[in-house]
Amino acid sequence: MKNTQRHFVDQIIPHRTPKQKGIGQAPVNIALSKYWGKRNVDLNLPTNSSLSVSLPGLGTETHLEWMENQSDEIYLNKTLLKSDNAFAQRTSLFLDLFRPNTQGGFVVNTINSVPTAAGLASSASGYAALALALNDCFQWDLPLKRLSLLARLGSGSASRSLYNGFALWHKGQLDNGMDSYAEKIDQAWPELCIGLLEIDVSEKPISSTQGMQNTVNHCELYAAWPDKAEADLQKIHQAIERKDFQQLGQTSENNALAMHATMIATWPPILYWQPESVAAMHQIWQLRSEGCEVYFTMDAGPNLKLLFLRQDTQTIQDHFPSVKVIHPFSDE
Ligand code: DP6
């Protein structure tokens, strides 16, 4: 597996000689059309393309420095992690792909500005920030598309976190994975709001990596997913171009529920929802029946992400007092 990944990296980076300290910053992203399932586990190649929107202000900042004659030192939110810590191990394994030699190590400082309370995955912003920090540290000067190929090896959804606004991760066709990168969709939608609705932020019972692998291998309904995901992505892309919020909301909600349907139909079953997640869905459907255009999406966890337009902010806040409202396009 390491050799396949190192060979992949060799085709992208010009050299393995660090030049200076490096810094990278990247936002978290929410998929509106989801990535669920890999066609190649070693290279993190997805079965379907996906489309996301990034959340400015929530994400990761990573500082990186190469030091001769010492092993890796990984700090997370200013705390030095033990070498057997899962985050530290996963980071060091990723950094193995870029080391100039085995005598030195990287000092990595990762600061997550993702409030744990938001229930958002930080691996997407984490590996995107790390790819940017590596690019700075080695002075490669790679374009974002190429960096998204590197971030993808750390976590699939990280390929989309190189960009602000909307991003599209192409699943690609090639076995070598060189055409499976993300790019920015050049469209702004200033009225679009994302509401983070926290249900439960304790650690999830099964990681998305494991969950999607189990689904691919042990769910008969999964065969229907890749085509549906591609069709949904097209509808969402079109909705963004036309600023058709109803089409965006309906397709995103249906796409998330279809993804969760494949998880539930896996054996053993995978159900990330809590009773409160379902209660929130009913509340959203009730609000919608009363004329408020609000939709939701959900990832590998019990928390909901609401989709609505700025004009409905007050109504949403009245019904969900704990919601954290994000404006993905506030600066554009
Ligand atoms: C449900 O990117 O975390 O959030 O590639 O194994 O690291 P790995 O998985 P990851 O999966 C994200 C799954 C999702 C949907 C999405 O973000 O598209």
Side-chain angles (χ1 to χ4, degrees), residues 287-307:
L287 259 177
R288 220 153 66 211
S289 74
E290 290 163 11
C292 174
E293 288 263 334
V294 52
Y295 302 88
F296 68 87
T297 183
M298 286 178 82
D299 294 299
N303 306 298
L304 278 76
K305 288 100 187 190
L306 312 188
L307 306 170

Side-chain angles (χ1 to χ4, degrees), residues 31 34-36 38 44 90 155-157 160 208-209 212 299:
K34 307 289 184 189
Y35 147 52
W36 198 248
K38 304 180 202 239
N44 247 357
R90 194 172 159 190
S155 184
S157 52
R160 302 183 308 240
S208 31
T209 309
M212 68 175 81
D299 294 299

Side-chain angles (χ1 to χ4, degrees), residues 111-125:
I111 308 284
N112 279 331
S113 69
V114 186
T116 39
L120 291 167
S122 53
S123 70
S125 58

Side-chain angles (χ1 to χ4, degrees), residues 83-142:
S83 54
D84 62 353
N85 173 281
F87 178 90
Q89 284 185 339
R90 194 172 159 190
T91 305
S92 282
L93 272 176
F94 181 73
L95 290 171
D96 284 348
L97 302 173
F98 306 96
R99 291 179 202 285
N101 58 55
T102 48
Q103 281 81 59
F106 287 100
V107 178
V108 185
N109 271 289
T110 298
I111 308 284
N112 279 331
S113 69
V114 186
T116 39
L120 291 167
S122 53
S123 70
S125 58
Y127 284 98
L130 195 50
L132 286 160
L134 285 162
N135 186 49
D136 192 23
C137 173
F138 289 81
Q139 296 276 285
W140 292 324
D141 217 5
L142 291 172

Side-chain angles (χ1 to χ4, degrees), residues 56-300:
L58 296 180
T60 304
E61 177 170 314
T62 296
H63 295 244
L64 190 70
E65 190 174 1
W66 174 256
M67 305 286 268
E68 293 294 344
N69 303 315
Q70 72 155 73
S71 48
D72 288 349
E73 265 178 37
I74 318 271
Y75 295 81
L76 179 58
N77 296 331
K78 307 217 155 98
T79 303
L80 176 63
L81 302 178
K82 297 210 169 103
S83 54
D84 62 353
N85 173 281
F87 178 90
Q89 284 185 339
R90 194 172 159 190
T91 305
S92 282
L93 272 176
F94 181 73
L95 290 171
D96 284 348
L97 302 173
F98 306 96
R99 291 179 202 285
N101 58 55
T102 48
Q103 281 81 59
F106 287 100
V107 178
V108 185
N109 271 289
T110 298
I111 308 284
N112 279 331
S113 69
V114 186
T116 39
L120 291 167
S122 53
S123 70
S125 58
Y127 284 98
L130 195 50
L132 286 160
L134 285 162
N135 186 49
D136 192 23
C137 173
F138 289 81
Q139 296 276 285
W140 292 324
D141 217 5
L142 291 172
L144 294 180
K145 257 194 208 177
R146 307 285 281 177
L147 291 177
S148 89
L149 291 169
L150 299 181
R152 188 197 80 212
L153 288 183
S155 184
S157 52
S159 65
R160 302 183 308 240
S161 269
L162 270 311
Y163 308 96
N164 291 321
F166 296 114
L168 198 172
W169 174 18
H170 301 278
K171 74 180 174 82
Q173 308 286 343
L174 300 173
D175 288 341
N176 68 11
M178 293 304 287
D179 59 349
S180 184
Y181 57 82
E183 62 187 338
K184 186 175 170 72
I185 298 177
D186 231 342
Q187 296 275 343
W189 197 335
E191 297 80 26
L192 185 69
C193 299
I194 308 281
L196 304 176
L197 195 62
E198 173 200 331
I199 303 291
D200 180 356
V201 291
S202 51
E203 196 162 336
K204 45 195 177 193
I206 172 166
S207 69
S208 31
T209 309
Q210 191 60 51
M212 68 175 81
Q213 211 43 36
N214 291 1
T215 309
V216 170
N217 293 328
H218 305 292
C219 170
E220 281 159 22
L221 301 192
Y222 184 75
W225 167 256
D227 285 350
K228 154 130 187 99
E230 296 296 336
D232 286 348
L233 187 149
Q234 295 309 329
K235 278 194 224 165
I236 292 172
H237 199 170
Q238 188 185 60
I240 290 168
E241 279 170 349
R242 297 182 179 168
K243 300 285 175 298
D244 182 340
F245 182 65
Q246 192 179 46
Q247 182 167 321
L248 179 107
Q250 283 183 0
T251 315
S252 302
E253 183 174 310
N254 181 248
N255 179 271
L257 288 171
M259 173 183 75
H260 282 271
T262 67
M263 300 176 190
I264 297 166
T266 297
W267 195 264
I270 305 165
L271 183 65
Y272 288 107
W273 303 351
Q274 297 291 336
E276 296 81 1
S277 316
V278 179
M281 292 179 201
H282 283 290
Q283 234 185 316
I284 289 162
W285 293 327
Q286 177 63 31
L287 259 177
R288 220 153 66 211
S289 74
E290 290 163 11
C292 174
E293 288 263 334
V294 52
Y295 302 88
F296 68 87
T297 183
M298 286 178 82
D299 294 299

